[in-house]
Amino acid sequence: MTKFLCVIAVTLIPIAAFSQVKFDTVNVKQIGEGAFHYSVVASSVPWTLEVIEIDLTNDIYSLETVKAEDKLSAYEKTSSMSARKSVEGHQVIAAINGDFYSGGTPTNLQVLNGEILTKPINREVFGYSSNSEMFINTTSYDGVLKIAGESKTINNVNRVRNSNNIIFYNHFFGSSTSTNEFGTELTLKAIDPWVVNGEVKAVVISKAVNEGNATLTDSTFVLSGHGAGATILNSVSLGDTLVVNHKVTPATNSITQAVGGSAKFISEGINQGNWPERHPRSALGFNADTTKFYFVTVDGRQSTSAGMTLTELGDFMLGIGAHNALNLDGGGSTTLVVHNEVANSPSDGAGERKVANALMLVSSEQKTGNLHQFEINPSVKKIYRNQSFAYKVEGSDENYFPVNLISQDVSYSLSEGFGAEISDSGLFIAGNNPDTGYVFVEYNGFKDSSLVIIKGIRDFNLFPERAVTDDTKELVFFNTSFDSDGISQPVSNSNVSWEVEDETIGLIENGVFKGLKEGVTNVIGIFDGVSDTAQIEVQIGSGILQVGNFESIEGISLEGENIDLANSSVSISDSIFTSGSNSLELNYQFTYAGTPSTWAYLRTNIPVFGVPDTILIDGATDGKRHLIDLIVTDDNAEEFTIRLKRYADNTEFDAYYLSMENILPVDPFSNFYYPITITGIGIKLKSEQQIGEIYSGSLFFDNMRISYPKKLSVSIEENIEVPSESELIQNYPNPFNPTTVISFKLAESGLTSLKVYDILGREVSTLLNENMTSGTHKISFNASNLSSGIYIYQLTTETGSQSKRMTLIK
């Protein structure tokens, strides 16, 4: 373990992509003489990798490919192939899934114990020769058949016979060649051991002309010719000796094993990985002098492991010593098997996937069944507080083959004072506090231990960092918390210690803040000794507050989507309004071009006090059924929209109510918090959607107002704060039916009258005619006895008169 950890620490740190990644080797297991299985994690990403390192200088080992069900077109799990090929004196101690495939057939070259199954394509191949030479190259095939010393072409291997071809068939293809009768077929028996890139002599044991479908056996092969190919084979007689050479170039001689992949991502010590997506991956590699060989898998598409890019996998394999490496089939096919058991976590929901072929590490050592080594797995475990984990204990003989244990004889214990629990079956349950200790395990005199680190929180952050609330709306905090490995961990608000610096402004319980009075205070959350602070301002609004009367164009601009901005404009209109003497006028034009929607955006920047429940704006349209969105940003500038829940199609001014209950995030992952800023009015412009048709019109907006949960009384109210000057305020709501509230400010006390007149100047109601104190006053006007129309209300004091219009709609 120490040696491997040093390799990780020293070799990977200088690599740029890995400079901030911390790798932990959580388990080291010897699986054979000079063969080790390492489990490596990088929790902060996260990554989970399995590594097999093999010393190929030991002559007990060999590398072998295996074909699913020993058939050209078949699927089988890697663990099944490993178990099936494990027999006395031929034990598979590790296996990794192999090539990409289609219909159960490998897409690239496969050679199995010298026998060729498939021809190569324009992708890289790993090959291994009888004298232990290795290569990873893109190869090509040139099959040669020598008849009486004359060379002929073998056109293909285990494929459908085409016109004028000679095809090589062996038992992997099936029980027969499946050819038709239009050709000649020779059945031969090899005299020499099979190799690729080497001449193999074979004797003709049968010949069939115009029959087809020759039988295939484990000890024979067939040369099948059609047309010109059949003419060549017709010259051969029973008992003749032919020479077959399956040439693969560039490659070594006497290839006994080969498996395909895609992308030689490490070449002579250079990382050439260029597959940018993170996926589960399988790879093989070897060091510079080919004495060490590696199987590597990285899990992916799981919360415990994100998968790697080829560049990331290349950096890792360079770090463990690989000088050349080949990417194998990944994704759900990624599987590493150790002693016939799956060692990684395949990404398919159903578990290990059936694949087309695999590469195996085979040992010639014998199983003895005598317990010689005893290990707990993993040997190092990091676990977050209150989480649980099931340990495994494993035994092996003197040749490192597994030995079955009697579970009842295994006993577990913990180091003294360690804040955790462990059951008789090895289920470890972490305590509620960060701690470090050991799990001890014993079995019939054998002992082992595992170092356990119970992790606490390193980073604790409250959200929102700043927010506004009032005394009616609860503000709920949440947190993002990361343990010592940078892994996000859930922390319940009920387990956090909460403080409010000024408890006269608000109180907090289980992360829920309630405002009491206006003011600013800090809220502090503490967990595992780590704290964070958020600033909360309580703003208490009431009644109706005007925030935009659109008396000027200042701070307003026009943007759009599928709109003709050159022929559209925003300006101030003095011909129609509900507040002051102007309104905001939008003149739009667009040519419909088949796009689903056309938007005009009136951009603003209006900060909003407190926690409103409704935003109101008066609008008059060209009679078309437009839709209106109010666009706002929250405390951290995330954007939200509030959709008007009806069409805006009234040609007279109408009050549009936009409820904060209808607020929607533009980014679905946004979280909404006050305060808000109104950043725009969005109008989805109506058209008949006739392609090429020009649409135009005008819309007017005025008197933007904010409504708060604390409503105004309909009776007269007084505010003792003395304003600097008298002012008549626009009534609310406006338009109204049948009641509205009129507010006014008096700079001085004195005789005050408030009267209502119709559009012809006739008095219809006297709301007030008495001495009033200085301050702000509000009075309700009930117009149930009046007909719809525009009315004028006039405030008269000893210093002068002020008038405004209001609209009654019944």
Side-chain angles (χ1 to χ4, degrees), residues 27-28 52 57 93 249 290 422 464 615 640 649 692 755 764 808:
N27 201 62
V28 180
I52 301 295
T57 63
I93 65 172
T249 56
T290 68
I422 193 160
I615 301 175
F640 297 80
D649 57 0
K755 296 184 179 182
V764 295
L808 173 64

Side-chain angles (χ1 to χ4, degrees), residues 615-635:
I615 301 175
L616 303 96
I617 188 168
D618 296 339
T621 77
D622 48 16
K624 298 174 184 177
R625 305 183 79 189
H626 306 292
L627 288 174
I628 292 180
D629 281 0
L630 199 68
I631 305 167
V632 303
T633 56
D634 72 349
D635 66 306

Side-chain angles (χ1 to χ4, degrees), residues 573-647:
S573 170
D574 60 3
S575 62
I576 178 172
F577 50 84
T578 60
S579 173
S581 56
N582 296 312
S583 65
L584 194 65
E585 180 178 357
L586 168 65
N587 294 301
Y588 68 86
Q589 180 175 305
F590 64 93
T591 302
Y592 185 72
T595 52
S597 57
T598 302
W599 285 87
Y601 299 108
L602 302 176
R603 292 298 182 184
T604 64
N605 186 28
I606 303 173
V608 174
F609 175 84
V611 182
D613 60 3
T614 306
I615 301 175
L616 303 96
I617 188 168
D618 296 339
T621 77
D622 48 16
K624 298 174 184 177
R625 305 183 79 189
H626 306 292
L627 288 174
I628 292 180
D629 281 0
L630 199 68
I631 305 167
V632 303
T633 56
D634 72 349
D635 66 306
N636 59 350
E638 292 179 316
E639 196 168 70
F640 297 80
T641 61
I642 309 171
R643 172 64 53 90
L644 180 67
K645 293 295 186 178
R646 64 185 178 92
Y647 290 110

Side-chain angles (χ1 to χ4, degrees), residues 31 45 120 124 138 160 174 183 221 345 367 370 382 415 448 454 478 554 629 639 641 646 696 771:
I31 59 174
V45 181
E124 292 88 345
T138 300
V160 174
F221 68 97
S345 177
K367 289 183 176 182
N370 301 317
K382 291 183 178 180
S415 55
D448 198 14
I454 300 176
F478 71 95
E554 184 179 355
D629 281 0
E639 196 168 70
T641 61
R646 64 185 178 92
S696 61
N771 284 313

Side-chain angles (χ1 to χ4, degrees), residues 246-274:
H246 296 293
K247 290 185 177 181
V248 172
T249 56
T252 63
N253 291 325
S254 302
I255 299 171
T256 56
Q257 312 292 334
V259 65
S262 180
K264 182 181 183 181
F265 62 100
I266 299 178
S267 180
E268 303 305 320
I270 304 299
N271 188 349
Q272 300 180 151
N274 61 355

Side-chain angles (χ1 to χ4, degrees), residues 28-38 51-54 61 92-95 295 337-339 361 363 375 396-397 399-402:
V28 180
K29 182 180 179 182
Q30 190 163 2
I31 59 174
E33 189 66 40
F36 294 88
H37 172 207
Y38 303 99
V51 178
I52 301 295
E53 182 187 83
I54 310 149
Y61 295 128
V92 179
I93 65 172
F295 293 164
V337 172
V338 177
H339 289 307
L361 173 64
S363 170
E375 296 177 320
S396 57
D397 64 18
N399 292 323
Y400 304 98
F401 293 114

Side-chain angles (χ1 to χ4, degrees), residues 191 549 658 721:
I191 300 171
N549 59 4
L658 297 116
E721 181 179 349

